[in-house]
Amino acid sequence: GQSLEQPSEVTAVEGAIVQINCTYQTSGFYGLSWYQQHDGGAPTFLSYNALDGLEETGRFSSFLSRSDSYGYLLLQELQMKDSASYFCAVATGKLIFGQGTTLQVKP
Amino acid sequence: GAVVSQHPSWVICKSGTSVKIECRSLDFQATTMFWYRQFPKQSLMLMATSNEGSKATYEQGVEKDKFLINHASLTLSTLTVTSAHPEDSSFYICSARDQGVRAGYTFGSGTRLTVV
């Protein structure tokens, strides 16, 4: 089976940088994705890592270490609108989600 | 980009009735679609994987007779919640595999089901 672990909650202030970690155990691993979900909405795709290293997309970056079964999402220059839930998900032929991290951005 | 249209966005039904949710890939063919369920403050739990022209594969613990999945064409998958009960009230989200999309998965906008 698959299992993913990420922190349940993170709090940060506007303008700061926050890192959300994700560790996983799985078989048939293709890559690690990150999704953002606001209350009542569908998940929106943020980033995907198939290979080790850092992927940068604007204020968001994601990192993967396949040997460590570990990844993280880095959010820079935090804005109030970044307050949401963030999910890591492993792609194994299907997409399995972690439990999610609730990010609260404070003024 | 790839778009997945999901309808209805919300539905209220009486206990004991059935509800059908549609998921359509608008500009690509989706041989594989996925159905998730999400309870408040929880993660997205994969319910089943549907492949066009074949039976769906259900995750452990999901009742296949209660959650009927049909994937009759390359652009349409449906989820029917049969004999719905209040505990089936949840947010249902579909996803389609699209090789042309980075990371390969496109999500619908979700359906909020409330059973009264």
Side-chain angles (χ1 to χ4, degrees):
Chain A
Q2 297 91 11
S3 69
L4 297 93
E5 288 192 16
Q6 52 181 126
S8 58
E9 293 183 0
V10 174
T11 302
V13 297
E14 255 186 313
I17 299 173
V18 71
Q19 178 173 315
I20 300 174
N21 298 321
C22 175
T23 57
Y24 60 88
Q25 286 186 318
T26 185
S27 56
F29 177 83
Y30 293 135
L32 186 70
S33 294
W34 288 92
Y35 288 83
Q36 179 192 62
Q37 186 181 35
H38 286 97
D39 278 347
T44 56
F45 172 77
L46 291 178
S47 190
Y48 175 67
N49 295 73
L51 303 175
D52 286 359
L54 191 68
E55 291 280 343
E56 296 179 80
T57 309
R59 293 188 297 118
F60 297 165
S61 303
S62 60
F63 172 82
L64 175 66
S65 169
R66 294 175 69 118
S67 60
D68 295 324
S69 297
Y70 163 76
Y72 66 72
L73 177 70
L74 191 72
L75 299 87
Q76 302 181 71
E77 300 173 18
L78 282 175
Q79 302 174 9
M80 296 298 291
K81 67 178 182 179
D82 297 329
S83 293
S85 293
Y86 292 84
F87 295 91
C88 59
V90 291
T92 66
K94 51 190 177 182
L95 203 58
I96 304 298
F97 284 79
Q99 290 304 305
T101 298
T102 301
L103 170 64
Q104 185 178 13
V105 180
K106 295 186 173 180
Chain B
V3 176
V4 171
S5 175
Q6 184 173 343
H7 292 282
S9 56
W10 61 271
V11 58
I12 302 173
C13 72
K14 290 185 177 180
S15 187
T17 62
S18 296
V19 173
K20 180 184 284 188
I21 302 170
E22 291 189 349
C23 181
R24 293 181 184 272
S25 57
L26 296 187
D27 50 2
F28 66 100
Q29 294 183 329
T31 55
T32 304
M33 289 188 174
F34 306 89
W35 288 95
Y36 293 84
R37 178 170 55 181
Q38 185 179 34
F39 293 107
K41 305 299 183 185
Q42 294 188 22
S43 184
L44 287 81
M45 298 302 298
L46 180 65
M47 300 174 66
T49 301
S50 73
N51 295 293
E52 186 268 337
S54 64
K55 290 183 178 180
T57 303
Y58 290 81
E59 295 298 304
Q60 191 172 9
V62 177
E63 301 174 58
K64 59 181 67 177
D65 294 331
K66 180 170 184 61
F67 298 99
L68 300 180
I69 291 173
N70 184 280
H71 194 159
S73 77
L74 286 171
T75 58
L76 175 64
S77 177
T78 61
L79 168 69
T80 301
V81 183
T82 63
S83 186
H85 289 97
E87 57 265 30
D88 298 322
S89 298
S90 187
F91 192 49
Y92 293 86
I93 310 169
C94 69
S95 174
R97 175 87 61 82
D98 177 17
Q99 298 303 324
V101 173
R102 187 161 173 262
Y105 300 89
T106 302
F107 283 82
S109 55
T111 298
R112 179 78 55 191
L113 170 63
T114 302
V115 184
V116 298

